[in-house]
Amino acid sequence: MADVYWLWYPGDFSIHQGMLQNFQREERSMDWPAYWYIDDCNRNVKFTRTYTLNRQTEFQVFARGKGYVDINGSKYPLNQRTTCQPGKNIVTIFIGNPTGLPAIYIQGDVICSNDGWQASNFVDRLPAGYDPLFTRPDQDPNMIKYQTILVQHQKKVTKNNGVLFDFGRAVNGSLHIQTRIAKSITLCYGESETEALDVKNCYYKQENVDRHSSIRKRAFRYVFVPDVSLNDVEVTAVHEYIPKKNNSKFETDNQLINQIWNVSVETLNLCSDVFFIDGIKRDRWIWAGDALQANLMNQYSFFDEEIDKRTLLALRGQDDIKQHINTIVDYSMLWAIGILNHYEMTADLKFLEVIYPKMQKMVDYLIPRFKIEVQHLLY
């Protein structure tokens, strides 16, 4: 982890990005947001830290939102060099963002946005949240920056009065299109050749595509372009991902078992960029049941603590509980089990300090409902 990073109210980055993730589902040209209550981040946050300085020092606050800097009761604007005098200095930064995540990045030799800041939503005050994905002032925590690789098709063949592209692997990303014809084209996606060739019923399809069209991020291996000739169109895939280090190694003298392991690790890799999601193709939502399975396997593969934390925070949302996680009582319990597993995996007391009050409220929410269910069973 870098020494300096963007700060926000703890959990808010995961909650905000989790909300966006749960709006990603698309089915046969129809958007399909998740069907449960979804929280978003706090819109107004106060960051505070006290410094006792031996000498004068300067710092600069970059922000995502509107606000100001307060030093010992005096106000200063954002985005300019601000000076603190020797002695005790109470630095408070007020940030409001009506459309996204309020966040700050403080650059300075002494006063900077490292560990030690407190964040308040004007109800509760906790250690400020951060993520190792965001360590530079030019970044925006409202935007996930994926790394990309170009994937060329391994096969390009004429079929069913069109052209079928096989990229040879699962791609989670978009397409670059080059056409040599004046008319627009149709893109039919598939995880199998059969699905891509089904122009009417394929899960993902985009019509009226030309060189100016915006191509949405989708998951696929095959792309079929109907009603074109072999040389009319060229398609390149752009796979998006967040790098993870695979800390595991598994090998036997049985090549089939080795292949099963490798496919399993790649599947987990594809389904765990920012969060553990149920799959890259279909609903792409964050489910507590799927997340626990990924959580258990993560410790034997990537050992990525941050994906665990983001997923647990996103699933739970803000403090007030309005319904079971994903509307399923079992998933509320699996979420709590996931916290235990994460602690046993990492011994991360700082994360436990943030998540424990949310877990306590979830347990308090569960107990009376269990009593009602037991009474129904007994009588």
Side-chain angles (χ1 to χ4, degrees), residues 91-153:
V91 182
T92 307
I93 303 167
F94 295 84
I95 299 294
N97 191 335
T99 60
L101 173 73
I104 61 169
Y105 185 98
I106 310 169
Q107 194 171 58
D109 293 336
V110 178
I111 298 176
C112 57
S113 50
N114 54 8
D115 198 13
W117 284 83
Q118 296 283 306
S120 169
N121 61 358
F122 300 91
V123 177
D124 296 309
R125 177 173 164 172
L126 290 167
Y130 52 82
D131 193 288
L133 290 176
F134 298 95
T135 60
R136 303 192 319 270
D138 61 321
Q139 293 177 295
D140 183 354
N142 287 280
M143 303 288 293
I144 303 297
K145 182 67 175 178
Y146 292 93
Q147 293 197 26
T148 60
I149 54 172
L150 293 179
V151 182
Q152 304 294 339
H153 53 77

Coordinates of all heavy atoms in Angstrom, one line a residue, residues 91-153:
V91 N -6.8 20.3 11.6 CA -7.1 20.4 10.1 C -8.4 19.7 9.9 O -8.5 18.5 10.2 CB -6.0 19.9 9.3 CG1 -6.3 20.1 7.8 CG2 -4.7 20.5 9.6
T92 N -9.4 20.4 9.3 CA -10.7 19.8 9.0 C -11.0 20.1 7.6 O -10.9 21.3 7.1 CB -11.8 20.4 9.9 OG1 -11.4 20.2 11.3 CG2 -13.1 19.6 9.7
I93 N -11.5 19.1 6.8 CA -11.8 19.3 5.4 C -13.2 18.9 5.2 O -13.6 17.8 5.5 CB -10.8 18.5 4.5 CG1 -9.4 18.9 4.8 CG2 -11.2 18.7 3.0 CD1 -8.4 18.0 4.2
F94 N -14.1 19.8 4.7 CA -15.5 19.6 4.5 C -15.7 19.4 2.9 O -15.3 20.2 2.1 CB -16.3 20.8 4.9 CG -16.3 21.0 6.4 CD1 -15.3 21.7 7.0 CD2 -17.3 20.5 7.2 CE1 -15.3 21.9 8.4 CE2 -17.3 20.7 8.6 CZ -16.3 21.4 9.1
I95 N -16.2 18.2 2.6 CA -16.5 17.9 1.2 C -17.9 17.4 1.0 O -18.3 16.5 1.7 CB -15.5 16.8 0.7 CG1 -14.0 17.3 0.8 CG2 -15.8 16.5 -0.8 CD1 -13.7 18.5 -0.1
G96 N -18.6 18.0 0.0 CA -19.9 17.5 -0.4 C -19.9 17.2 -1.9 O -19.3 17.9 -2.7
N97 N -20.5 16.1 -2.2 CA -20.6 15.7 -3.6 C -22.0 15.2 -3.9 O -22.3 14.0 -3.5 CB -19.5 14.6 -4.0 CG -19.4 14.4 -5.4 OD1 -20.3 14.6 -6.2 ND2 -18.3 13.9 -5.9
P98 N -22.9 15.9 -4.6 CA -24.2 15.5 -4.8 C -24.4 14.4 -5.8 O -25.5 13.8 -5.9 CB -25.0 16.8 -5.2 CG -23.9 17.6 -5.8 CD -22.6 17.3 -5.0
T99 N -23.4 14.2 -6.6 CA -23.5 13.2 -7.7 C -22.6 12.0 -7.6 O -22.6 11.1 -8.5 CB -23.3 13.9 -9.1 OG1 -22.0 14.5 -9.1 CG2 -24.3 15.0 -9.3
G100 N -21.6 12.0 -6.7 CA -20.7 10.9 -6.6 C -20.1 10.8 -5.2 O -20.6 11.3 -4.2
L101 N -19.0 10.1 -5.2 CA -18.3 9.8 -3.9 C -17.5 11.1 -3.5 O -16.6 11.5 -4.2 CB -17.3 8.6 -4.1 CG -16.4 8.3 -2.9 CD1 -17.2 7.7 -1.8 CD2 -15.3 7.3 -3.4
P102 N -17.7 11.6 -2.3 CA -16.9 12.7 -1.8 C -15.5 12.1 -1.3 O -15.5 11.2 -0.5 CB -17.7 13.2 -0.6 CG -19.0 12.6 -0.6 CD -18.9 11.3 -1.4
A103 N -14.5 12.7 -1.8 CA -13.1 12.1 -1.5 C -12.1 13.2 -1.6 O -12.3 14.2 -2.3 CB -12.8 11.0 -2.6
I104 N -11.0 13.0 -0.9 CA -9.9 14.0 -0.8 C -8.6 13.3 -1.0 O -8.4 12.1 -0.6 CB -9.9 14.8 0.5 CG1 -9.7 13.8 1.7 CG2 -11.2 15.6 0.6 CD1 -9.4 14.6 3.0
Y105 N -7.6 14.0 -1.5 CA -6.2 13.6 -1.6 C -5.4 14.8 -1.1 O -5.5 15.9 -1.7 CB -5.9 13.2 -3.0 CG -4.5 12.6 -3.2 CD1 -4.3 11.3 -3.2 CD2 -3.4 13.5 -3.3 CE1 -3.0 10.7 -3.4 CE2 -2.1 12.9 -3.5 CZ -1.9 11.6 -3.5 OH -0.6 11.1 -3.6
I106 N -4.6 14.6 -0.1 CA -3.8 15.7 0.5 C -2.3 15.4 0.2 O -1.7 14.4 0.5 CB -4.0 15.8 2.0 CG1 -5.5 15.8 2.3 CG2 -3.3 17.0 2.5 CD1 -5.8 15.6 3.8
Q107 N -1.7 16.4 -0.5 CA -0.3 16.3 -0.9 C 0.6 17.2 -0.1 O 0.3 18.5 -0.1 CB -0.1 16.6 -2.4 CG 1.2 16.2 -3.0 CD 1.1 16.3 -4.5 OE1 0.9 17.4 -5.0 NE2 1.3 15.2 -5.2
G108 N 1.5 16.7 0.7 CA 2.4 17.6 1.5 C 3.5 16.8 2.1 O 3.4 15.5 2.2
D109 N 4.6 17.4 2.6 CA 5.7 16.7 3.2 C 5.3 16.1 4.6 O 5.7 15.0 4.9 CB 6.9 17.6 3.4 CG 7.5 18.1 2.1 OD1 7.3 17.3 1.1 OD2 8.1 19.1 2.1
V110 N 4.5 16.8 5.3 CA 4.0 16.4 6.6 C 2.5 16.1 6.7 O 2.1 15.0 7.1 CB 4.4 17.4 7.7 CG1 3.9 17.0 9.1 CG2 5.9 17.7 7.7
I111 N 1.8 17.0 6.2 CA 0.3 16.9 6.2 C -0.1 16.3 4.9 O 0.1 16.9 3.8 CB -0.4 18.2 6.4 CG1 0.0 18.8 7.8 CG2 -1.9 18.1 6.3 CD1 -0.6 20.2 8.0
C112 N -0.5 15.0 4.9 CA -0.9 14.3 3.7 C -2.0 13.3 4.0 O -2.2 13.0 5.2 CB 0.3 13.6 3.1 SG 1.2 12.5 4.2
S113 N -2.6 12.7 3.0 CA -3.7 11.8 3.2 C -3.2 10.4 3.4 O -3.4 9.5 2.6 CB -4.7 11.9 2.1 OG -4.1 11.8 0.8
N114 N -2.5 10.1 4.5 CA -2.1 8.8 4.9 C -3.0 8.3 6.0 O -4.0 8.9 6.4 CB -0.6 8.7 5.2 CG -0.2 9.7 6.3 OD1 -1.1 10.4 6.9 ND2 1.1 9.9 6.5
D115 N -2.5 7.2 6.6 CA -3.3 6.6 7.7 C -3.3 7.5 8.9 O -2.3 8.1 9.3 CB -2.7 5.2 8.1 CG -3.6 4.4 8.9 OD1 -4.8 4.7 8.9 OD2 -3.1 3.4 9.5
G116 N -4.5 7.7 9.6 CA -4.6 8.5 10.7 C -5.7 9.5 10.7 O -6.0 10.1 11.7
W117 N -6.3 9.8 9.5 CA -7.4 10.7 9.4 C -8.7 10.0 9.9 O -8.9 8.8 9.7 CB -7.5 11.1 8.0 CG -6.5 12.1 7.6 CD1 -5.2 11.9 7.1 CD2 -6.7 13.6 7.5 NE1 -4.6 13.1 6.9 CE2 -5.4 14.1 7.1 CE3 -7.7 14.4 7.8 CZ2 -5.2 15.5 7.0 CZ3 -7.5 15.8 7.7 CH2 -6.3 16.3 7.3
Q118 N -9.6 10.9 10.4 CA -10.9 10.5 10.8 C -11.9 11.1 9.8 O -11.7 12.2 9.3 CB -11.2 11.0 12.2 CG -10.4 10.4 13.3 CD -10.8 8.9 13.7 OE1 -11.9 8.7 14.0 NE2 -9.8 8.0 13.6
A119 N -13.0 10.3 9.6 CA -14.0 10.8 8.6 C -15.4 10.7 9.4 O -15.6 9.7 10.1 CB -14.0 9.9 7.4
S120 N -16.2 11.7 9.2 CA -17.5 11.8 9.8 C -18.5 12.1 8.7 O -18.3 12.9 7.9 CB -17.5 12.9 10.9 OG -18.9 13.1 11.3
N121 N -19.7 11.4 8.8 CA -20.8 11.7 8.0 C -21.8 12.6 8.8 O -23.0 12.6 8.4 CB -21.5 10.4 7.5 CG -22.0 9.6 8.6 OD1 -21.9 9.9 9.8 ND2 -22.7 8.5 8.3
F122 N -21.3 13.2 9.9 CA -22.1 14.1 10.8 C -23.0 13.3 11.7 O -23.8 13.9 12.4 CB -22.8 15.2 10.0 CG -21.9 16.0 9.2 CD1 -21.5 15.8 7.9 CD2 -21.3 17.2 9.8 CE1 -20.7 16.6 7.2 CE2 -20.4 18.0 9.1 CZ -20.1 17.7 7.8
V123 N -22.9 11.9 11.7 CA -23.6 11.1 12.6 C -22.6 10.2 13.3 O -22.5 10.2 14.6 CB -24.6 10.2 11.9 CG1 -25.3 9.2 12.9 CG2 -25.7 11.0 11.2
D124 N -21.7 9.5 12.6 CA -20.7 8.7 13.1 C -19.3 9.1 12.7 O -19.2 9.7 11.6 CB -20.9 7.2 12.7 CG -22.2 6.7 13.3 OD1 -22.4 6.8 14.5 OD2 -23.0 6.1 12.5
R125 N -18.3 8.9 13.5 CA -16.9 9.2 13.2 C -16.1 8.0 13.3 O -16.1 7.3 14.3 CB -16.4 10.3 14.1 CG -15.0 10.7 13.9 CD -14.6 11.9 14.7 NE -13.2 12.1 14.8 CZ -12.6 13.2 15.4 NH1 -13.4 14.1 15.9 NH2 -11.3 13.3 15.5
L126 N -15.3 7.7 12.2 CA -14.5 6.5 12.1 C -13.2 6.8 11.4 O -13.1 7.8 10.7 CB -15.3 5.4 11.3 CG -16.5 4.8 12.0 CD1 -17.3 4.0 11.0 CD2 -16.1 3.9 13.2
P127 N -12.2 5.9 11.4 CA -11.0 6.0 10.6 C -11.4 6.1 9.1 O -12.3 5.4 8.7 CB -10.2 4.8 10.9 CG -10.7 4.3 12.3 CD -12.1 4.7 12.3
A128 N -10.8 7.1 8.4 CA -11.2 7.3 7.0 C -10.9 6.0 6.2 O -10.0 5.3 6.5 CB -10.4 8.5 6.5
G129 N -11.7 5.8 5.2 CA -11.5 4.7 4.3 C -10.5 5.1 3.1 O -10.4 6.2 2.8
Y130 N -9.9 4.0 2.6 CA -9.0 4.2 1.4 C -8.9 2.9 0.7 O -9.4 1.8 1.2 CB -7.7 4.7 1.9 CG -7.0 3.9 3.0 CD1 -6.3 2.7 2.7 CD2 -7.1 4.3 4.3 CE1 -5.8 2.0 3.7 CE2 -6.6 3.6 5.3 CZ -5.9 2.4 5.0 OH -5.3 1.7 6.0
D131 N -8.3 2.9 -0.5 CA -8.1 1.7 -1.2 C -6.8 1.8 -2.0 O -6.5 2.8 -2.6 CB -9.3 1.5 -2.2 CG -9.3 0.1 -2.8 OD1 -8.4 -0.2 -3.7 OD2 -10.2 -0.7 -2.5
P132 N -6.0 0.7 -2.0 CA -4.7 0.8 -2.7 C -4.8 1.0 -4.3 O -3.8 1.2 -4.9 CB -4.0 -0.6 -2.4 CG -5.1 -1.5 -2.0 CD -6.1 -0.6 -1.3
L133 N -6.0 1.0 -4.8 CA -6.2 1.3 -6.2 C -6.0 2.8 -6.5 O -5.8 3.2 -7.6 CB -7.6 0.9 -6.7 CG -7.9 -0.6 -6.8 CD1 -9.4 -0.8 -7.2 CD2 -7.0 -1.3 -7.8
F134 N -6.1 3.6 -5.4 CA -6.1 5.1 -5.6 C -5.1 5.7 -4.8 O -5.3 6.0 -3.6 CB -7.5 5.6 -5.3 CG -8.6 5.1 -6.2 CD1 -9.3 4.0 -5.8 CD2 -8.8 5.6 -7.5 CE1 -10.3 3.5 -6.7 CE2 -9.7 5.1 -8.3 CZ -10.5 4.0 -7.9
T135 N -3.9 6.0 -5.4 CA -2.8 6.5 -4.7 C -2.1 7.7 -5.3 O -1.1 8.2 -4.9 CB -1.7 5.4 -4.6 OG1 -1.3 5.0 -5.9 CG2 -2.2 4.2 -3.8
R136 N -2.8 8.3 -6.4 CA -2.2 9.4 -7.1 C -3.3 10.6 -7.2 O -4.5 10.3 -7.3 CB -1.8 9.1 -8.5 CG -0.8 7.9 -8.6 CD -0.3 7.9 -10.1 NE -1.3 8.1 -11.1 CZ -2.1 7.1 -11.6 NH1 -1.9 5.9 -11.2 NH2 -3.0 7.4 -12.5
P137 N -2.8 11.8 -7.1 CA -3.7 12.9 -7.1 C -4.5 13.1 -8.4 O -5.6 13.7 -8.5 CB -2.9 14.2 -6.9 CG -1.5 13.7 -7.3 CD -1.4 12.3 -7.0
D138 N -4.0 12.5 -9.5 CA -4.7 12.7 -10.8 C -5.8 11.7 -11.0 O -6.5 11.7 -12.0 CB -3.7 12.6 -12.0 CG -3.0 11.2 -12.0 OD1 -2.7 10.7 -10.9 OD2 -2.8 10.7 -13.1
Q139 N -6.0 10.7 -10.1 CA -7.0 9.7 -10.2 C -8.4 10.3 -9.6 O -8.4 11.3 -8.9 CB -6.6 8.5 -9.4 CG -5.5 7.7 -9.9 CD -5.1 6.5 -9.0 OE1 -4.7 6.7 -7.9 NE2 -5.2 5.3 -9.6
D140 N -9.4 9.6 -10.0 CA -10.8 9.9 -9.5 C -11.4 8.6 -9.0 O -11.7 7.7 -9.7 CB -11.6 10.5 -10.6 CG -13.0 10.9 -10.1 OD1 -13.4 10.6 -9.0 OD2 -13.8 11.5 -10.9
P141 N -11.6 8.5 -7.6 CA -12.2 7.3 -7.1 C -13.6 7.0 -7.5 O -14.1 5.9 -7.2 CB -12.2 7.6 -5.6 CG -11.1 8.6 -5.4 CD -11.2 9.5 -6.6
N142 N -14.2 7.9 -8.3 CA -15.5 7.6 -8.9 C -15.4 6.8 -10.1 O -16.4 6.4 -10.7 CB -16.2 9.0 -9.1 CG -16.7 9.6 -7.9 OD1 -17.8 9.2 -7.3 ND2 -16.0 10.6 -7.4
M143 N -14.2 6.7 -10.6 CA -13.9 6.0 -11.9 C -13.0 4.8 -11.7 O -11.9 5.1 -11.2 CB -13.4 6.9 -12.9 CG -14.2 8.2 -13.2 SD -15.7 7.8 -14.1 CE -15.0 7.3 -15.7
I144 N -13.3 3.6 -12.1 CA -12.4 2.5 -12.0 C -11.6 2.4 -13.3 O -12.2 2.4 -14.4 CB -13.2 1.2 -11.8 CG1 -14.1 1.2 -10.6 CG2 -12.3 0.0 -11.7 CD1 -13.4 1.4 -9.3
K145 N -10.3 2.5 -13.1 CA -9.4 2.4 -14.3 C -8.9 1.0 -14.5 O -8.1 0.5 -13.7 CB -8.2 3.4 -14.1 CG -7.3 3.4 -15.2 CD -7.9 4.0 -16.5 CE -6.9 4.2 -17.6 NZ -7.4 4.8 -18.8
Y146 N -9.5 0.3 -15.5 CA -9.1 -1.1 -15.8 C -7.8 -1.1 -16.7 O -7.7 -0.2 -17.5 CB -10.2 -1.8 -16.5 CG -11.4 -2.1 -15.6 CD1 -12.5 -1.2 -15.6 CD2 -11.5 -3.2 -14.8 CE1 -13.6 -1.4 -14.8 CE2 -12.6 -3.4 -14.0 CZ -13.6 -2.5 -14.0 OH -14.7 -2.7 -13.2
Q147 N -7.0 -2.1 -16.5 CA -6.0 -2.3 -17.5 C -6.6 -3.1 -18.7 O -7.6 -3.8 -18.5 CB -4.8 -3.1 -16.9 CG -4.1 -2.3 -15.9 CD -2.7 -2.8 -15.6 OE1 -2.1 -3.5 -16.4 NE2 -2.2 -2.5 -14.4
T148 N -6.0 -3.0 -19.8 CA -6.6 -3.6 -21.0 C -5.6 -4.4 -21.8 O -4.4 -4.0 -21.8 CB -7.3 -2.6 -22.0 OG1 -6.3 -1.6 -22.4 CG2 -8.4 -1.8 -21.2
I149 N -6.0 -5.4 -22.5 CA -5.2 -6.1 -23.5 C -6.1 -6.3 -24.7 O -7.3 -6.6 -24.6 CB -4.7 -7.5 -22.9 CG1 -5.8 -8.3 -22.4 CG2 -3.6 -7.3 -21.9 CD1 -5.4 -9.8 -22.1
L150 N -5.4 -6.2 -25.9 CA -6.1 -6.5 -27.1 C -6.1 -8.0 -27.4 O -5.1 -8.6 -27.2 CB -5.4 -5.8 -28.3 CG -5.5 -4.2 -28.3 CD1 -4.8 -3.7 -29.5 CD2 -7.0 -3.8 -28.3
V151 N -7.3 -8.5 -27.7 CA -7.4 -10.0 -28.0 C -7.8 -10.1 -29.4 O -8.9 -9.7 -29.9 CB -8.4 -10.6 -27.1 CG1 -8.5 -12.1 -27.4 CG2 -8.1 -10.4 -25.6
Q152 N -6.9 -10.7 -30.2 CA -7.2 -10.9 -31.6 C -8.0 -12.2 -31.8 O -7.8 -13.2 -31.0 CB -5.9 -11.0 -32.5 CG -5.0 -9.8 -32.3 CD -5.6 -8.5 -32.9 OE1 -6.5 -8.6 -33.8 NE2 -5.1 -7.4 -32.5
H153 N -8.8 -12.3 -32.8 CA -9.6 -13.5 -33.0 C -8.6 -14.6 -33.5 O -7.7 -14.4 -34.2 CB -10.7 -13.3 -34.0 CG -10.2 -12.7 -35.3 ND1 -9.6 -13.4 -36.3 CD2 -10.3 -11.4 -35.8 CE1 -9.3 -12.7 -37.3 NE2 -9.7 -11.4 -37.1

